[in-house]
Amino acid sequence: MNEMHYQLDLLTAMNQKLMGNEKMFRMICGTSSNAFLYYIFSEDRFEMLGLWQHYFDFPIRSASDLHRLINCAKAEYISALEETLFCENKHKESQIAECEMQDKKWLEFEVTVTYSETDEPSEKIIRIRDVTKRKKQTEELKYMAYYDSLTGLYNRNYFVRILSEWVRKAQTEKATIDVLCIRMDDFKRINDSMGMIAGDEILQAFGLFLRDLQSEDIIVSHFNDDIYYLAIYNPYGNHNVDAVYRKIGQRTEQPFQMMGNIEQKITVSIGVANYPESARNSLEIINCAEIVQSQKKESGTNSIAYFEAPILTDFIENIQMENKLKEAIEDHAFELYYQPQYDAGSKKLRGVEALIRWRGQDGKFVSPAVFIPLAEKDGLIVQIGNWVLEEGIRVYADWYRKYGYPMVLSLNISALQYKKADFVHHLLMLIEKYQVDPALIELEITESVLIEDFNSVVDKLNTLKEYGIKISLDDFGTGFSSLSYLKGLPIDTLKIDKSFIDTVINDHPTRVITESIIAMVKKLGCETVAEGVETQEQYEYLKAVNCDNIQGFLLGKPMPAEGVEKILSSIKN
Ligand code: C2E
Ligand code: CA
Ligand code: CA
């Protein structure tokens, strides 16, 4: 009897303990944000624990009910979920499936199976967790890592990654890849004139069009500002650039619709590089395409240029030249030469044009026609131009003190120098510092100075004129719209370009134009200077048609300062 009491007490105590444990487990499950399914194999019975009702509005009682749960997943996740839920994994670790459900929630299913001593599956726990938030954050991060937020196109990093994969694939498949660097022309102008929002809009609109060109073998990316890249994988080694170029041409014939019913047409310039012809790794191919693109010369058309080896050689030479130019600025390796200009009738010295000379390390001169355009491209011209201004004015002041001869000093000024806010101030400061007469300083400008911002340049020219400084229009006749510019411009002198002088003797139309220019310029009250006069015949002709001044090898080549001093001293004596 005692024994029975004892057994009963023991059972009651164990029961209480078990109930306590179950209560504890239920509490733990209830307070977590997960739902649980507890399964006993021998009974084919499921128990639902935790926040089951929060997740699902149906019960799971036996293994056959699991299909209801599985069918809640989106089609593409069903088989993975099925495999996970029915798994009888003998390895200790649990099995996990992450699935997107029909209601767009992301759920994680973690399944753990326990085994009896006889190695039979005894129990299974399925833990269900809502991972939507984490998934969204990961997606966002992934998006940020892969996409450009402005256009929704792939970003640079992702493009490089895919291109690198394509290059590896192309090596084994003997395929080729074309990479197009596509730059929207004049984007800066659109952005400046219509505002940043409109600028973004046009970038997005064009990006959207490019996105539609994407396919299994075409990937498009927005790198930055106005630069897009497109890569074409050509599995059969053929080139498919033409088709893409044609589509871009067709699309850009039509304007893009912007907010406020504004229509905007664009053109692009495209540089194409190719794997394996141009380069053999992704970054190099991208660089090659960019280099080709940057060589674009004409604007207003959809231009396309293909990579050729000399382009790269030129580019490298330019870079080397650029570095040498920087050194030259530091080493003061520049000199000024001066070319005399004479009155056509009296042959009296009118003045000199200062022309820069750069003596390279080998002692030979590098032509300014080569390095000035380069210096203009990378902005070094501002420092170089400032040196020319000061050196020219300093030497000129010295001559004036010594010889007292009132000749004109002509200085070539680049567009970038004019653009600097302090250009006028800087020049006036030099004139003051060296005490020269501003009326004897003449600035030579070319049409390129006027093209970008006509009104602000004219304002500056007017200010310069107020101080008595002369303005000369250089290389006249080489641009298209020179004549139309003339009327709004406060110029004193017009230089007829050497290309006219070269043909003026033998070409009748050139003669007609030259004579008309001279007559017209005189009516406007300006002086003319003929450039590049090399022969006596040219000189006689120009004198006969009333050209005011002559500059050229015939009467004097550019010379160092000492040469000018010789001329000046001969005039004096
Ligand atoms: P440019 O201003 O048109 O200068 C005239 C160029 O023609 C000079 O070449 C001069 O040496 C050359 N020349 C003059 N007479 C004759 C001739 O009878 N026959 C031939 N064949 N050539 C003649 P240079 O000195 O090589 O200068 C080339 C260009 O470099 C200049 O053209 C100018 O655009 C630029 N440049 C030169 N110095 C400066 C400077 O200090 N600043 C800026 N911004 N540009 C400069
Ligand atoms: Ca000049
Ligand atoms: Ca010239």
Side-chain angles (χ1 to χ4, degrees):
M1 196 62 188
N2 272 352
E3 177 67 8
M4 245 181 79
H5 271 289
Y6 173 71
Q7 291 280 352
L8 208 66
D9 285 350
L10 197 65
L11 267 175
T12 315
M14 275 169 70
N15 225 353
Q16 270 172 357
K17 194 172 173 208
L18 271 176
M19 274 165 67
N21 276 352
E22 191 184 331
K23 201 174 156 197
M24 183 176 82
F25 286 130
R26 281 190 186 275
M27 265 178 77
I28 291 174
C29 292
T31 49
S32 97
S33 55
N34 303 336
F36 298 87
L37 287 174
Y38 173 61
Y39 182 63
I40 304 167
F41 279 84
S42 56
E43 298 172 23
D44 183 23
R45 181 169 64 84
F46 268 109
E47 211 171 305
M48 293 147 287
L49 298 160
L51 300 186
W52 177 262
Q53 275 151 358
H54 170 79
Y55 281 83
F56 304 102
D57 56 3
F58 53 85
I60 302 282
R61 305 213 188 276
S62 67
S64 58
D65 292 343
L66 275 181
H67 284 286
R68 240 184 126 177
L69 181 58
I70 291 165
N71 286 333
C72 292
K74 283 199 169 170
E76 59 265 44
Y77 297 98
I78 284 187
S79 68
L81 183 57
E82 192 166 20
E83 196 183 306
T84 307
L85 294 187
F86 283 108
C87 82
E88 292 181 9
N89 201 348
K90 287 201 175 176
H91 306 110
K92 284 274 160 56
E93 70 264 21
S94 46
Q95 192 151 329
I96 296 179
E98 235 176 42
C99 309
E100 192 179 6
M101 311 306 279
Q102 309 272 12
D103 61 2
K104 297 220 163 93
K105 266 196 198 136
W106 279 88
L107 298 185
E108 182 191 84
F109 296 82
E110 184 179 357
V111 180
T112 316
V113 184
T114 55
Y115 289 84
S116 67
E117 281 166 7
T118 55
D119 226 12
E120 293 295 315
S122 57
E123 291 148 316
K124 179 187 276 193
I125 297 225
I126 302 173
R127 185 169 64 96
I128 301 160
R129 194 151 71 105
D130 187 341
V131 291
T132 314
K133 207 166 152 192
R134 171 170 61 74
K135 202 75 191 168
K136 287 234 164 84
Q137 278 167 350
T138 323
E139 288 292 310
E140 249 167 53
L141 280 177
K142 223 160 128 190
Y143 188 86
M144 269 157 41
Y146 292 166
Y147 294 89
D148 161 61
S149 58
L150 180 68
T151 59
L153 290 172
Y154 291 123
N155 63 19
R156 186 180 198 285
N157 288 346
Y158 191 66
F159 184 82
V160 174
R161 206 171 110 177
I162 295 291
L163 188 60
S164 306
E165 279 169 23
W166 280 8
V167 166
R168 275 194 294 278
K169 196 161 74 142
Q171 272 163 0
T172 47
E173 292 182 2
K174 298 271 173 290
T176 66
I177 305 164
D178 289 304
V179 171
L180 284 69
C181 171
I182 305 170
R183 184 175 194 153
M184 196 185 284
D185 296 332
D186 281 338
F187 172 69
K188 199 179 165 313
R189 194 179 45 75
I190 298 174
N191 213 32
D192 288 350
S193 61
M194 297 172 68
M196 247 169 68
I197 294 176
D200 284 355
E201 238 187 294
I202 193 90
L203 292 178
Q204 284 164 342
F206 186 59
L208 214 62
F209 155 71
L210 286 179
R211 200 172 66 183
D212 285 345
L213 300 179
Q214 283 195 141
S215 66
E216 207 178 309
D217 289 332
I218 296 183
I219 174 173
V220 179
S221 157
H222 180 229
F223 268 36
N224 53 41
D225 294 339
D226 46 1
I227 298 192
Y228 303 82
Y229 269 80
L230 184 148
I232 310 172
Y233 190 83
N234 309 305
Y236 308 110
N238 52 340
H239 291 266
N240 295 319
V241 176
D242 282 354
V244 168
Y245 180 50
R246 241 193 338 270
K247 282 183 191 156
I248 293 176
Q250 282 161 0
R251 177 62 191 89
T252 52
E253 265 171 26
Q254 307 301 322
F256 287 89
Q257 297 292 335
M258 321 259 291
M259 260 188 328
N261 262 345
I262 298 168
E263 294 193 331
Q264 179 68 45
K265 275 186 103 167
I266 59 158
T267 59
V268 297
S269 45
I270 305 173
V272 187
N274 173 270
Y275 169 88
E277 284 165 28
S278 317
R280 285 168 180 272
N281 86 44
S282 54
L283 289 178
E284 281 176 18
I285 308 170
I286 289 171
N287 280 345
C288 286
E290 190 193 349
I291 292 167
V292 178
Q293 188 285 323
S294 68
Q295 310 291 312
K296 163 153 182 158
K297 292 190 181 71
E298 82 277 30
S299 67
T301 55
N302 284 319
S303 69
I304 188 159
Y306 293 86
F307 181 86
E308 296 159 25
I311 294 180
L312 196 59
T313 327
D314 283 358
F315 181 78
I316 291 167
E317 273 174 13
N318 278 354
I319 299 244
Q320 284 168 344
M321 176 91 91
E322 228 173 272
N323 290 335
K324 283 190 193 154
L325 253 185
K326 284 182 191 152
E327 281 171 27
I329 295 174
E330 277 171 20
D331 301 348
H332 307 288
F334 298 113
E335 293 167 42
L336 275 188
Y337 270 42
Y338 303 87
Q339 184 174 31
Q341 301 167 337
Y342 293 95
D343 180 284
S346 63
K347 282 211 181 164
K348 190 171 165 262
L349 182 67
R350 178 217 186 229
V352 290
E353 176 179 2
L355 293 161
I356 194 166
R357 295 289 175 266
W358 171 22
R359 207 181 284 278
Q361 274 147 352
D362 54 3
K364 285 190 197 141
F365 281 132
V366 183
S367 166
V370 173
F371 74 83
I372 293 286
L374 201 71
E376 281 174 336
K377 237 182 178 174
D378 61 21
L380 290 173
I381 189 66
V382 176
Q383 283 177 67
I384 297 174
N386 281 342
W387 176 82
V388 171
L389 278 185
E390 175 138 20
E391 177 67 3
I393 292 175
R394 183 186 70 78
V395 171
Y396 179 82
D398 195 34
W399 290 335
Y400 196 78
R401 259 196 314 280
K402 276 196 198 152
Y403 304 101
Y405 186 81
M407 65 166 179
V408 173
L409 170 69
S410 297
L411 295 158
N412 291 286
I413 310 291
S414 287
L416 258 167
Q417 287 176 269
Y418 272 104
K419 269 198 191 158
K420 288 273 155 195
D422 65 347
F423 174 73
V424 175
H425 174 79
H426 183 68
L427 179 64
L428 292 174
M429 185 273 290
L430 291 173
I431 287 175
E432 174 71 23
K433 179 175 172 186
Y434 293 103
Q435 290 290 298
V436 296
D437 179 358
L440 295 175
I441 301 294
E442 183 174 70
L443 304 183
E444 295 198 2
I445 60 166
T446 57
E447 239 182 88
S448 66
V449 172
L450 302 162
I451 283 169
E452 282 190 27
D453 196 353
F454 189 81
N455 291 336
S456 104
V457 172
V458 169
D459 283 351
K460 277 192 183 164
L461 295 183
N462 278 323
T463 315
L464 291 166
K465 273 204 91 161
E466 277 169 28
Y467 286 95
I469 295 159
K470 281 195 165 78
I471 309 293
S472 166
L473 192 58
D474 202 357
D475 303 340
F476 188 80
T478 52
F480 289 111
S481 38
S482 307
L483 283 173
S484 67
Y485 279 135
L486 274 185
K487 56 178 188 338
L489 275 181
I491 57 162
D492 304 275
T493 312
L494 189 136
K495 297 186 82 172
I496 304 168
D497 192 66
K498 181 174 180 297
S499 57
F500 280 85
I501 312 305
D502 285 344
T503 51
V504 84
I505 299 301
N506 297 319
D507 186 48
H508 180 68
T510 308
R511 266 205 305 280
V512 174
I513 297 171
T514 309
E515 286 165 33
S516 318
I517 292 174
I518 294 171
M520 183 184 68
V521 171
K522 274 209 179 302
K523 277 200 190 120
L524 288 170
C526 300
E527 267 186 275
T528 45
V529 176
E531 288 191 284
V533 179
E534 293 180 343
T535 68
Q536 189 64 25
E537 211 180 350
Q538 289 167 343
Y539 167 67
E540 296 296 346
Y541 165 77
L542 289 162
K543 190 167 85 172
V545 297
N546 284 329
C547 176
D548 298 312
N549 303 292
I550 304 292
Q551 179 179 351
F553 290 178
L554 175 73
L555 301 182
K557 288 194 171 179
M559 57 188 83
E562 303 83 66
V564 180
E565 288 215 30
K566 261 189 210 148
I567 299 175
L568 289 171
S569 62
S570 71
I571 297 171
K572 206 180 174 194
N573 302 324

